[in-house]
Structure formats: C-alpha cells, structure tokens
Amino acid sequence: LMTLSVACTSIPVQETAPPLPVLSVDDLFAGFYGELGGEARLGPAISQAFTYGQISYQYTQAALMAYDPHLKGWERFYLAAIGLDTGLIQASEPPPQDTTIPYANGHTIDPSFWPLIQALGGLSRVGNPITEPRYNPTKRRIEQYFENLGFYRVENNSEVGLLAYGLWRCGDSCTPPPIWPEEAEVVLPPPVAAEFSKTVARLGEHFVGFALSPPYPTPDGGTQQIFENIALKISPAETGQPALLPLTRILEIAASPLQPPSSEGGMFFYPIQDRLGYNVPQEFLDYLAQHGGLDASGAPISQVERVGDDVLRQCFVSLCLEKHERESGVLRIRPTPLGYAYWQYQNQAATSGKPGITPETPAGTSQQGAVTVQAWKRLAILKPGQQQEIGLTVLEDNHPVEGVGVELIFPLPDGSQRNLILPPTSDDGSSSLTLDVPEVPAGTILSYTLCAYYPRGQPTCAEDRFLMWR
C-alpha cells in the first residue's frame, strides 16, 4: 500500500533554489542511505533534501529517498516508485519452467540481479519488476526495470550496478556528479505507433525489442517503424497489415550452404531443395512458436553457427536468433538486434545526406551511363578478429568488364584512411581483397568506397558498409 500510494502521487522534481555544486546526503537520510550501501550503490546525492506535502525527499544518482513521519519505525524511510514514471510497464509473462529462477509480479527476475536485490532489502525495498530482463543494444547491457530501482550489467561483465533513475527523473533540476558511469544512463524509447501496437503485443515485447525510431513514411506511401530486433512496415499496395521487413536480405547477410538432415538430437530439418536444407534447433522453434512462428521469422537462411565462446546464432529471413549458453531464463534464447543494425545504417545515411538501404535499393551500387559498379562484402556483420573480404563488380550494358583498375578508400576510426589498389577485374568483372579490420567497439559501422577507373581514367565509385558486432 505504501508503494502504491507513492506511485499514484505525482512527485515533483526539486523546484527550490539551484543546489550547491557539492552536495551531501541530509542528516535525515544518512542512516537509511548507509543501510542501502551509501554512495557505492546509490551514487552521490544530486539534490538537497526537500519537502512535498508532509513527506521529505532527496535524490541520489540512482534513486529518490523518501521519509513519511506518519509511518512507523523504519517503514518511515523508503524508496519512491519513480521507475513507474518511465512508462516501461510490460505485460505479465508466465513463470519460467526453471523454478530456481526468481519470479514476481508476472515477470522473471534476472538471476544475476538477485543477490544485489537481496542485499538492498528484497522486493519490499526495490519494488516489483515492471519489465522482463532484456538486452539493450544501444548501451550494450543487460537491464531490468523495477518500481523503485533499475538494475544493469554491461555485456560480458558480471558486475551489477543500478541504473541512474535519480539523474533521469530529476533532470536539469538536479546537479549531476562530476563523474558517473554513462553505461547506467536511462534512455527511454519512442512510443510504439498505434498501427503497430497489436502486432507488437502479439509477437511479444521480448521478441520485438524497444522502439528505436518513431513511425515514418516510406516512398511507396506506407509506414515503417524500427525496433531493436526487427522492423515493421505497412504497405498500402499489399495487405495493409504490418509485416516484418526481410532484414537479413536488406543487411546482406549471406545464406549458408544447404546440408542434409542432421543425426544430432534436438534438431528439426527444414527442407529447401533436393533433400537438402537447414537444421534448426528445437529450442529455436519453441521460441518462435511463442512469437509468431515461422510466419513471422520467415524460413531459415543459415545453419547454426558459433559466433562466440558461448553464443550460437542462426538466421532467418526477417531476423536471427541467438542462444547464450551462459544465460538463463528469457535471456538464453533471444533475437540478434538486427533492427539496431538497420537503424544504425539509416541514421548514418541521414547524417551523410545519402539514401539509406531498403529491400528495393541495396547499398553499394553506382551507375554512370552504361557502366554499373557494385561493391560487395562477404559478411554484413563482422565479429572481432575476423577478416573481411570486399570486392567490386564492373558491368557495361550488363556485361562484365575485364582488366579494370580498382581502388579501395577505407576511412579508419582514428581519422586516417587506407588507400589500397585491388587487382584488375577478372573475366567475370570482379576484383576483391581480404582486409584486416581494426579493433572498434561493437555496434560501430565501418564504411568504405571502391572506385573502378572505367572508362579509362574516369572513376565510378560505390560505397558500402558493414557492422562490427560480437
């Protein structure tokens, strides 16, 4: 009841005089703050103590501490339910089959967060979960939102921290600390467009991910919205109903060779041609069955591939699925954030003033008169340590041109650039090379330009790009 009464009251941000540059926790909250772990957990104070009604408050980086003199004992001190102000309240999910995984308020609790939750006093202090555990590709972290606090851990790091609820909720009315972990920033997604809301609810928010873009018009008069894992579009010329974009084709993720049925247990064979096809783990099929089935994902286009020490991936027409062997609960099977990659591509195109990529207009093609050049790469998504093969095909009146000189212009993240000469085009009009790629953060888009000097001395150039991911 205490939590509900706080949640239903609009708690103001600090509206008094601007706080001092250096702030400390008020004596009223000092004991409560220390009990919760002090600055090491809640972060420093970012406002002075203030009163609204008869309740006293003070913001820290991660929370809003509250004191109600009408309650008894230590119940007078609590954390306000500012997590509800995010609006990220997801629909309830059934309990996990693994009964050792914590579950409350219709949501699984990520097991890695549970020890810190208990250390903070349990759900009575933290509040109930309001979302499922999720992977946030923008911040590259596992996160989960609760009523009073938010939890996160950076990808490939077991250390758990608290999201900066207080900094987000208080905004410009508070004084942020001079140094704070930016990976703890609260970033709220755009709302789901009304025309896509039923589809998102049917497929499931875990499957779709948060929205990354607002809805926007497409050249054919349709509407499109990009989410973390997928992209949805309504085309008036077709059914007028939302459909998943074929992201693996748009992002030029290559299909892998067909294979015969596997004798390995737990695999389902999806036939394609002449008794050859793709072997799909039953776990992936079970996951898809809960989220629209193969009608949503499309047919498989690749075999299962190990893309990390503990990660397996398989791609379908509209998305890729991953199995994270070290995770449990809802994070064990989850989509690759291809929507995030598509969004990155579109943002880069908007910044450069060049057209983005669509199913109808793939990246990397340029034409001057009868001469067409098309840049290509072996992998649209490259993981650290892999080499990239890139190349160019030159056509004149749709016929390959042999013996054309080709130059690669490859800007590097440090501001320098590589200029490399490729071998002259062969009898099929193509030239390629294998490239060592510099170490860059996951999510970085690397662009390059290939120029064919044909007709002689006249460059015709095409740009292309690929995404660095784990």
Side-chain angles (χ1 to χ4, degrees), residues 132-179:
E132 290 288 294
R134 62 182 300 275
Y135 176 70
N136 182 332
T138 305
K139 305 298 288 186
R140 293 193 288 278
R141 71 189 180 203
I142 304 296
E143 65 186 24
Q144 188 166 17
Y145 290 77
F146 291 70
E147 291 171 329
N148 309 336
L149 294 172
F151 295 79
Y152 78 96
R153 56 184 167 91
V154 176
E155 186 177 31
N156 300 323
N157 189 333
S158 60
E159 185 175 350
V160 175
L162 297 178
L163 295 173
Y165 267 17
L167 274 176
W168 164 77
R169 181 64 179 81
C170 194
D172 294 338
S173 298
C174 284
T175 300
I179 300 175

Side-chain angles (χ1 to χ4, degrees), residues 378-445:
R378 183 170 61 89
L379 298 168
I381 300 178
L382 199 69
K383 59 186 179 183
Q386 278 187 311
Q387 290 183 315
Q388 178 68 289
E389 182 184 4
I390 60 178
L392 188 73
T393 300
V394 182
L395 302 173
E396 184 174 21
D397 291 327
N398 292 323
H399 296 290
V401 182
E402 185 178 0
V404 178
V406 180
E407 181 183 17
L408 165 69
I409 303 169
F410 187 35
L412 299 175
D414 62 5
S416 62
Q417 88 178 18
R418 292 182 192 171
N419 288 71
L420 301 173
I421 303 299
L422 278 66
T425 56
S426 60
D427 58 3
D428 66 354
S430 296
S431 176
S432 66
L433 60 73
T434 299
L435 188 69
D436 289 319
V437 179
E439 290 189 13
V440 293
T444 300
I445 295 173

Side-chain angles (χ1 to χ4, degrees), residues 3-4 81 83-84 88-89 103-109 114 117 122-131 144-151 165:
T3 301
L4 288 174
L84 296 176
L88 301 178
I89 302 175
Y103 178 81
N105 194 40
H107 295 293
T108 298
I109 298 172
W114 191 242
I117 291 171
L123 294 179
S124 61
R125 182 67 52 73
V126 169
N128 280 319
I130 58 176
T131 70
Q144 188 166 17
Y145 290 77
F146 291 70
E147 291 171 329
N148 309 336
L149 294 172
F151 295 79
Y165 267 17

